Amino acid sequence: MTFQFIIEQNYSYFQSDNSYYSQENGLTMGSPSSSIFSEIYLQYIENTAVYDTVLYNNITGYFRYADDILIVYDRTNTDKIKILDSFNKLMPSMKFTIEKQTTG
């Protein structure tokens, strides 16, 4: 299959302490095809699973730009830790984190 070949050729090889290593998981940062495959994967997840997670957790707004996600919610009826757990269960190979909004 063509996509499998492209992904396999996309792996990163590197040298450390006179030994050579091959990246086993994920896509290589900086590779021309990495951003395309990442976007396709994130859109697939959004269209198949994120919508239900947004509804289940009473999320008011879900906005994504590249790999950053902004979630708007009412903290009186939504638990941010529950939201984080829900998103981390969607894609076990990815790790979501929370950053609190700061002003200034």
Side-chain angles (χ1 to χ4, degrees), residues 18-38:
N18 296 322
S19 295
Y20 290 91
Y21 300 92
S22 172
Q23 178 179 324
E24 294 182 6
N25 295 312
L27 299 170
T28 305
M29 281 183 60
S31 170
S33 60
S34 292
S35 61
I36 296 166
F37 284 121
S38 297

Side-chain angles (χ1 to χ4, degrees), residues 68-85:
D68 293 322
I69 298 171
L70 170 66
I71 293 177
V72 179
Y73 65 95
D74 179 358
R75 64 179 168 189
T76 61
N77 65 5
T78 304
D79 179 16
K80 67 181 177 187
I81 301 304
K82 187 176 170 186
I83 293 172
L84 181 62
D85 289 342

Side-chain angles (χ1 to χ4, degrees), residues 42 44-55 59 62 87 90-91:
L42 286 173
Y44 169 77
I45 294 299
E46 286 175 335
N47 290 322
T48 58
V50 169
Y51 180 74
D52 292 334
T53 302
V54 167
L55 289 177
I59 295 172
Y62 172 90
F87 273 88
L90 290 177
M91 297 162 278

Side-chain angles (χ1 to χ4, degrees), residues 1-11 26-27 31 33-34 36-38 40-41:
M1 175 181 262
T2 305
F3 287 121
Q4 186 65 32
F5 176 76
I6 292 170
I7 292 172
E8 287 173 1
Q9 297 304 310
N10 195 35
Y11 289 139
L27 299 170
S31 170
S33 60
S34 292
I36 296 166
F37 284 121
S38 297
I40 291 168
Y41 180 71

